[in-house]
């Protein structure tokens, strides 16, 4: 059951790149709460700096969000442990390197380290990515519990089917088990034509979803390289990150 605090914070989830500004009445309507309750939430979020109000009763995300983004970029232990390893991987492989993780049912890139290769990385830090395309989401989902995977299948059945990851729940679970056992996943041209990726899980906290560490490059560069060596380097980097965070 959603608590009052959870419902108030859920206001922030309404603001997206596609819809960054909301009217107060539309917020109340989206929450499904009473008008006095909705306006109280808006007032509290403004006082916290998480929302700002403009003329005409329009609301947008507030300046505290900018501050929090700066703090997490500067101090996030996962980023601090990962970035040196990612830079080394870029040097060793000539690929771009990305770090990603799951937040609820939203898959996000946390950091990119770029190589000299001129390929377009479509998704950047904080921009939601497709849940079932590319290599990174698959290694993260594969390392969830079977209960989490079953729930994901029920919520996203059509997307799972479209991605070819199983026509039934059991087939989906079996595919995820295969990926987990392999310890990595390679995707060719799933997110963009001519672009491939190779991902491994980063287990940085026992009760958290793992992150995904990925090499991204042109499919041609993959074909001309020893991807098996890249896989070993990725796995070693993931272990170093986990060890730095008190994991494996």
């Amino acid at each position: 059951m959603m608590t009052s605090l959870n419902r108030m914070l859920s206001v922030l989830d309404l603001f997206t790149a596609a819809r960054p500004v909301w009217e107060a009445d539309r917020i109340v309507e989206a929450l499904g709460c009473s008008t006095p309750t909705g306006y109280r939430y808006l007032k509290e979020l403004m006082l916290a700096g998480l929302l700002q109000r403009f003329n005409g009763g329009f609301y947008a995300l507030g300046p505290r969000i900018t501050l929090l983004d700066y703090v997490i970029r500067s101090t996030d232990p996962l980023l601090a442990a990962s970035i040196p390893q990612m830079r080394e991987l870029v040097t060793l492989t000539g690929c771009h390197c990305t770090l990603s993780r799951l937040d609820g049912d939203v898959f996000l890139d946390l950091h990119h380290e770029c190589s000299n290769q001129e390929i377009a990385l479509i998704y950047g830090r904080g921009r939601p990515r497709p849940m079932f395309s590319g290599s990174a989401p698959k290694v993260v989902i594969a390392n969830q519990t079977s209960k989490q995977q079953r729930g994901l299948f029920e919520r996203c059945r059509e997307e799972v089917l479209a991605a070819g990851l199983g026509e039934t729940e059991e087939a989906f679970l079996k595919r995820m088990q295969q990926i987990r056992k392999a310890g990595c996943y390679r995707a060719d041209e799933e997110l963009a034509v001519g672009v491939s990726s190779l991902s491994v899980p980063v287990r940085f906290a026992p009760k958290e979803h793992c992150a995904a560490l990925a090499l991204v490059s042109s499919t041609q560069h993959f074909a001309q390289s020893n991807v098996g060596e890249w896989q070993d380097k990725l796995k070693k980097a993931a272990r170093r990150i986990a060890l730095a965070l008190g994991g494996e």
Side-chain angles (χ1 to χ4, degrees), residues 140-159:
V140 171
I141 295 169
N143 281 274
Q144 290 183 321
T145 65
S146 59
K147 180 179 179 180
Q148 290 172 319
Q149 292 170 355
R150 290 179 189 277
L152 187 62
F153 181 85
E154 286 301 314
R155 295 190 302 275
C156 306
R157 184 187 299 265
E158 294 303 318
E159 293 92 330

Side-chain angles (χ1 to χ4, degrees), residues 8-236:
M8 180 174 68
L9 292 176
S10 73
V11 171
L12 302 178
D13 293 332
L14 298 175
F15 295 87
T16 65
R19 190 170 180 181
V21 178
W22 283 73
E23 293 178 274
D25 290 344
R26 299 287 78 78
I27 292 174
V28 173
E29 181 181 331
L31 291 179
C33 63
S34 68
T35 298
T37 296
Y39 275 80
R40 177 167 56 84
Y41 290 163
L42 294 175
K43 181 179 179 180
E44 292 293 334
L45 291 169
M46 282 196 300
L47 289 174
L50 297 174
L51 288 182
Q52 55 184 322
R53 184 182 180 188
F54 295 93
N55 291 334
F58 291 96
Y59 292 81
L61 293 177
R64 184 63 61 87
I65 302 293
T66 305
L67 173 61
L68 293 174
D69 182 61
Y70 168 74
V71 171
I72 196 169
R73 284 176 183 266
S74 304
T75 64
D76 182 4
L78 178 58
L79 289 181
S82 300
I83 290 174
Q85 300 299 327
M86 295 172 72
R87 289 175 177 168
E88 182 177 358
L89 285 168
V90 170
T91 300
L92 292 173
T93 66
C95 298
H96 299 274
C97 191
T98 66
L99 181 72
S100 314
R101 68 176 299 185
L102 195 61
D103 177 24
D105 284 348
V106 180
F107 195 78
L108 302 169
D109 284 349
L110 303 179
H111 186 73
H112 285 181
E113 284 292 331
C114 295
S115 70
N116 293 326
Q117 282 203 36
E118 295 184 2
I119 62 169
L121 293 177
I122 302 173
Y123 299 94
R125 175 180 168 84
R127 181 183 177 186
R129 288 178 48 174
M131 278 282 288
F132 303 100
S133 295
S135 61
K138 293 181 180 68
V139 297
V140 171
I141 295 169
N143 281 274
Q144 290 183 321
T145 65
S146 59
K147 180 179 179 180
Q148 290 172 319
Q149 292 170 355
R150 290 179 189 277
L152 187 62
F153 181 85
E154 286 301 314
R155 295 190 302 275
C156 306
R157 184 187 299 265
E158 294 303 318
E159 293 92 330
V160 172
L161 295 177
L165 293 174
E167 295 185 358
T168 65
E169 183 181 274
E170 292 308 313
F172 174 64
L173 293 177
K174 183 177 180 180
R175 185 72 183 102
M176 292 302 103
Q177 290 171 356
Q178 291 170 343
I179 294 172
R180 180 167 185 163
K181 184 176 181 180
C184 66
Y185 187 87
R186 175 177 171 174
D188 293 317
E189 302 189 335
E190 290 189 11
L191 280 176
V193 175
V195 177
S196 294
S197 63
L198 178 70
S199 295
V200 299
V202 179
R203 299 178 180 85
F204 58 91
K207 295 183 180 181
E208 293 281 346
H209 295 153
C210 69
L213 188 65
L215 293 174
V216 185
S217 186
S218 69
T219 302
Q220 181 180 7
H221 185 44
F222 266 69
Q224 295 172 343
S225 304
N226 189 331
V227 179
E229 288 187 1
W230 288 0
Q231 180 178 311
D232 292 340
K233 295 180 189 303
L234 265 177
K235 289 183 176 181
K236 288 177 181 177

